[in-house]
Amino acid sequence: MLQKREKVLLLRTFQGRTLRIVREHYLRPSVPCNSPLCPQPAACRNDGKLLSAEVTHYVIPDWKVVQDYLEVLEFPELKGVIFMQTACQAVQHQRGRRQYNKLRNLLKDARHDCVLFANEFQQHCYLPREKGEAMEKWQTRSIYNSAVWYYHHCEDRMPIVMVTEDEEAIQQYGSETEGVFVISFKNYLDNFWPDLKSAHELCDSILQSRRERETESQETHGKEYPEHLPLEVLEAGIKSGRYIQGILNVNKHRAQIEAFVRLQGASSKDSGLVSDILIHGSKARNRSIHGDTVVVELLPKSEWKGKTSALCENDSDDKASGESPSEPMPTGRVVGILQKNWRDYVVTFPSKEEVQSQGKNAQKILVTPWDYRIPKIRISTQQAEALQDFRVVVRIDSWEATSVYPNGHFVRVLGRIGDLEGEIATILVENSISVVPFSEAQMCEMPVNTPENPWKVSPKEEQERKDLRTTHLVFSIDPKGCEDVDDTLSVRTLNNGNLELGVHIADVTHFVAPNSYIDVEARTRATTYYLADRRYDMLPSILSADLCSLLGGVDRYAVSVMWELDKTSYEIKKVWYGRTIIRSAYKLFYEAAQELLDRNFSIVDDIPELKALDKQSQQAKLEELVWAIGKLTDIARHIRSKRDRCGALELEGVEVRVQLDDKKNIHDLIPKQPLEVHETVAECMILANHWVAKKIWESFPHQALLRQHPPPHQEFFSELRECAKAKGFFIDTRSNKTLADSLDSANDPKDPLVNKLLRSMATQAMSNALYFSTGSCTEEEFHHYGLALDKYTHFTSPIRRYSDIVVHRLLMAAISKDKKMEIKENLFSNKNLEELCKHINNRNRAAQRSQKQSTELFQCMYFKDRDPETEERCIADGVIYSIRTNGVLVFIPRFGIKGAAYLKNKDGLVIACGPEGSSEWKPGSLQRSQNKIISTTAGGQSVTFHLFDHVTVRISVQASRCHSDTIRLEIISNKPYMIPNTELCHQSSLLKSELVKEVTRSVEEAQLAQEVKGKVIQEEHQEYCQTKGRSLYTLLEEIRDLALLDVSESCAM
């Protein structure tokens, strides 16, 4: 029987008035207790995560402990933790969404032995707040009362320890109830976990940081920054248009002086501004940190400033450059922060000399974050000297108006500076990527497929699915050596003479049930993360590399889309969606499929399925396969031409072939010629994604997950247009159709790199494609600019993208809806789906950044040990693709690197080139125009660098102790680099994977020298249930971003 209560909420309006809201609050006789000791599990409905039965006690943290020590409670050694609803709501209301989401994820994580108890809905636990009672006292009283009830509910069989920071509560409740102990959190760690050193260090660090904050707040300091305005004033100002809301984006190359606020929500529509807002200087930033959601007040136009267009390596170069800034742009100052985006930061401790120079209190140390955009953080520690050679994780606690720097605390050590594993760990932490192993609970949900217990198609599934094993010629076309095949194709002639085209995708959702442990984990990861030398899978390998890999000659579950096409025009007559059973007949690699398409049958010996047959059977099967590949290619040409007529874009990407060694690790990347079969497969996948998008939107118009690609802002194309103009080309950017046509015609027969670079510039001008919920946008906003499609989604890679899993479930629900059957799938509401899309978009950006940063790491490690003055490979041909006021940006085709080359150095000298083209530094000046820059020495000697000129470049590494190393480029001749004859046969072969290979080899040799066995890394990857080596099915989408790796981010753009 439910008991009704009334709950009074006091809310503030935009006008600042207090609004009293009364809500109904229903109490229940039982709620899930999630304890294995529960005497009435049916009544409590304990069907979710249960506490371990092997613990000696349960621990219940008070609200203040959850707020301040959550990261200690995250230690997996701490088991039997019960989070009360009262404490969770305190975190939500007082610490913000980010901390609350961390708590929610901890509760969902099967690796952590902790549960939520909804004490405020249990009729015996709920305590109304007494008149005049402080909120903090009521919260502690409520949690203690619930702890007592929980102890008695478990029939007094499990002692309960309530940990609190409230000394009065310890005195009052400490001995009140036998079996329920109330102690401080520090006391709890000292007595119950004396050997958990890392937890003690973290607890001490947090405690010290908190004490210092309290001390500082009592001292009277002069204000370093203005106070932030109250929330109600900010909200009223945003509504009236006086203030503008947006995300702070710090320029990493001028982090001290230059940041921008990108408009967000209503601000972007109502302000009338078409550009970002410049925040000039740290004072105007007012303690906001990169990524924070801030409120900005525009300055008068007379105070507007422009951003600097000069190249620079770090902030100190700005003052020396003396370059005039660009045209003034809207400039403002931060008056408040709506949402802090604080996360874990990797930092470096100062050297011993720097510690001594920091002044009187050596325990308070200023540490330097790895990310240039984050200010120095002040922490208290006695380990500064011991940690100065390590990468360390810290967290920010506060940033008071009286402090120049934010205050934080030490969390943990990652590894030594410069060590490969430590630097990789840094990249993962900086992108908030968790690579913890799949838990036992998650792996228990996985199917079994062993020689002793092989997986088989179930009779029930045979009845419910369409069986294509004997009726359809199904085959895959993938890179050579690929083992994780998530898509297959089929084409056949129907009885009426028409054609049937089929795209068959691994049925991951059959094995991943909604809200299961593995589903929650996949949703959290959102994507598979690919680094230069390894990958971290979204799903365990039993799925990604086995039962959801559509390998040749084995039965597999699939979700299929099949179209009936007109036999001559290839126009679509009808479409069918559904679950199928397939058996792929051939596992082809791209080159073999292309040879068959070109009717070069000598490749047959490289196709195992054909090689084993007798001549007569081989000929019949070969003719059948060649017809299918040819027909697929014809259909793909028709689909592509149709999209081309609508303005589909072909942007710059890298084309490579992956070579694996015997252990399936990456061995090499070799440049390859684009093959028509690449486009054939891609067009079939695009067609399937497009038709599935239409289907799920028609069935669920307000809660379908689609992918949009908004048109880019025209001002972003200005550099592309100017560069093309320098070569006599006109780029029309009014629509995707005119842009595609212009790029196709912008070909320099003497230099194919010109078109490559122009397409790269067009790519950089594009907006990012994003997932969204259809209930959050108008239909006009659904359009995909790059693919020229009105609706698009991702359906074809559920092994590595959680978005595709959501789409598969939507498609299954749409099919059930058509059949008027019960919808079994748990669909997200529009609000929840939009939140999920934001999470997936965020994780995708993190995946792209980490992939790029890891590749830069290997490039730097490769070049770091080579002498740029004598090493042949440190000299390369480069192409100038952008002009700046003090230098140029150069693309090096041989390594796929882009970077800055200075024409004026820090001493004010400019580059001069002799008759043979060799360069040297001399006094002089630079004169820049749109498509060229002239360097003139004091003696009158001048050299001109034009856009798209070829120059000879020396590659070196600029080392940094606190940040990542960066590639440095130096023009040593204004003439193209002539490759020596000894290198002609190897040119362009040293790509990113070779850097990876050589660096990894040198690291392994160093490890052997230190007697560290090579097996350690392999065992670690097995323990983490992850895969070392890049996955192969990512060629079409994942590796494309690395085509022109932009290391020029170490200079201003």
Side-chain angles (χ1 to χ4, degrees), residues 7 49 80 262 307 408 413 563 715 761 871 887 903 938 940 1024:
K7 203 168 187 178
K49 181 178 172 184
R262 181 144 294 173
K307 55 183 176 183
V413 175
W563 300 266
E715 60 266 26
M761 290 177 194
E871 181 75 39
L903 302 184
Y1024 277 65

Side-chain angles (χ1 to χ4, degrees), residues 62 65 137 140 144 162-177 180-188:
D62 194 8
V65 172
K137 294 297 179 185
T140 300
Y144 174 74
M162 175 179 165
V163 289
T164 180
E165 295 300 287
D166 187 336
E167 289 295 334
E168 288 183 17
I170 294 172
Q171 293 295 325
Q172 183 178 349
Y173 304 127
S175 56
E176 186 173 289
T177 306
V180 179
F181 306 90
V182 183
I183 59 177
S184 71
F185 190 55
K186 185 79 170 64
N187 194 2
Y188 173 71

Side-chain angles (χ1 to χ4, degrees), residues 57-71:
H57 64 280
Y58 292 151
V59 59
I60 296 178
D62 194 8
W63 63 276
K64 185 69 172 168
V65 172
V66 178
Q67 281 191 0
D68 290 347
Y69 297 100
L70 180 60
E71 53 209 296

Side-chain angles (χ1 to χ4, degrees), residues 459-508:
K460 182 187 175 189
E461 292 295 328
E462 278 187 314
Q463 289 180 348
E464 295 179 355
R465 293 172 180 263
K466 182 176 281 194
D467 195 337
L468 311 181
R469 288 176 289 184
T470 58
T471 56
H472 289 63
L473 175 65
V474 177
F475 57 92
S476 61
I477 306 176
D478 287 284
K480 199 168 189 176
C482 178
E483 288 192 348
D484 32 16
V485 181
D486 54 3
D487 56 79
T488 53
L489 300 164
S490 68
V491 63
R492 64 172 184 160
T493 305
L494 299 174
N495 293 333
N496 61 6
N498 285 338
L499 296 170
E500 182 191 73
L501 168 67
V503 171
H504 316 282
I505 307 300
D507 189 0
V508 173

Side-chain angles (χ1 to χ4, degrees), residues 787-854:
L787 296 175
L789 294 170
D790 60 339
K791 293 175 187 71
Y792 192 68
T793 193
H794 275 160
F795 159 76
T796 52
S797 291
I799 290 173
R800 62 187 178 91
R801 294 188 300 229
Y802 192 77
S803 56
D804 300 49
I805 288 179
V806 175
V807 168
H808 275 235
R809 288 175 182 153
L810 282 163
L811 181 60
M812 292 304 105
I815 294 168
S816 299
K817 190 176 180 181
D818 288 348
K819 295 177 179 177
K820 296 185 169 45
M821 295 167 58
E822 179 189 354
I823 297 177
K824 297 178 182 177
E825 286 73 18
N826 294 340
L827 302 184
F828 292 99
S829 66
N830 171 57
K831 181 183 176 184
N832 290 339
L833 183 58
E834 188 60 24
E835 283 295 314
L836 177 61
C837 288
K838 287 178 183 175
H839 168 68
I840 296 174
N841 290 332
N842 175 276
R843 293 294 81 211
N844 283 347
R845 286 190 290 269
Q848 290 166 3
R849 286 194 303 267
S850 60
Q851 187 180 44
K852 183 173 181 290
Q853 288 164 355
S854 69

